[in-house]
Amino acid sequence: MHRVNLRMDVPLLVFAPGAEFGSAKRWPTAHFAELASAIWRAHPQTQIVLLGSGKDKAMCEEIVAVAPEVRNLAGITTLGEAIALIGHAAAVVSNDSGLLHIASALNRPIVAIYGPTDPAHAPPFSDVAKSLSLRLDCSPCRQRECPLGHHHCMKNITADMVWTPLREM
């Protein structure tokens, strides 16, 4: 994709760290950064991009601050460009969000991260997909913010828990 200066001849990995519904559905930015760093150490030729709306830009900058090998395209790409990037991606890592369901519709390999929502209710339907959920006693609560204030359903999903199935993809 020339406008955002990405190479189409090397692997592209898409992260969708936003979630319009609320912060409870967002995997911590530190975990996304840790995952990106692990991937980049293992596969330094991989391009990792962050997609989302303009509302996600600052959150995505938190990831880039820790993992500078990642490109923040949140709020930069149009929806059509984001769809094209997802369609070209070797794999997608996403919270339960609209971009997750776009990746599913495009049949991309996906690791989907669920906390306050039920992965059985709206799972990815890609041929290659892994839904991660801790299925804690307090989840799925379906709340925009963690009603218990601890956000364990997302915080306790580690970068390694995501990297393991992603590596297999």
Side-chain angles (χ1 to χ4, degrees):
M1 173 142 241
H2 298 298
R3 189 174 81 74
V4 291
N5 198 28
L6 291 174
R7 293 182 53 190
M8 293 294 117
D9 61 333
V10 295
L12 174 66
L13 199 60
V14 169
F15 288 0
E20 222 20 67
F21 180 75
S23 66
K25 286 176 69 171
R26 292 187 199 120
W27 196 43
T29 56
H31 292 10
F32 271 107
E34 183 181 345
L35 176 64
S37 295
I39 292 165
W40 212 71
R41 280 191 305 273
H43 305 282
Q45 75 286 359
T46 301
Q47 299 173 105
I48 304 170
V49 299
L50 305 171
L51 293 180
S53 72
K55 294 177 188 176
D56 300 321
K57 192 170 184 97
M59 175 190 52
C60 289
E61 284 302 320
E62 292 174 18
I63 297 168
V64 173
V66 178
E69 62 276 5
V70 177
R71 294 267 316 276
N72 182 4
L73 299 180
I76 294 172
T77 58
T78 65
L79 180 57
E81 289 168 335
I83 291 168
L85 287 170
I86 290 168
H88 184 73
V92 176
V93 176
S94 182
N95 298 319
D96 180 15
S97 67
L99 292 178
L100 166 69
H101 300 294
I102 288 171
S104 180
L106 295 173
N107 199 30
R108 303 314 311 140
I110 301 169
V111 177
I113 305 167
Y114 293 86
T117 55
D118 185 355
H121 177 71
F125 292 105
S126 296
D127 292 339
V128 178
K130 175 69 176 174
S131 295
L132 295 176
S133 173
L134 297 177
R135 301 203 176 268
L136 302 176
D137 290 342
C138 56
S139 67
C141 67
R142 296 178 181 85
Q143 300 298 310
R144 291 179 185 273
E145 306 295 327
C146 177
L148 302 176
H150 56 60
H151 205 215
H152 288 168
C153 64
M154 294 300 266
K155 284 182 179 176
N156 292 351
I157 296 174
T158 66
D160 192 53
M161 292 168 76
V162 177
W163 181 216
T164 298
L166 185 61
R167 198 173 323 155
E168 295 170 8
M169 294 177 182

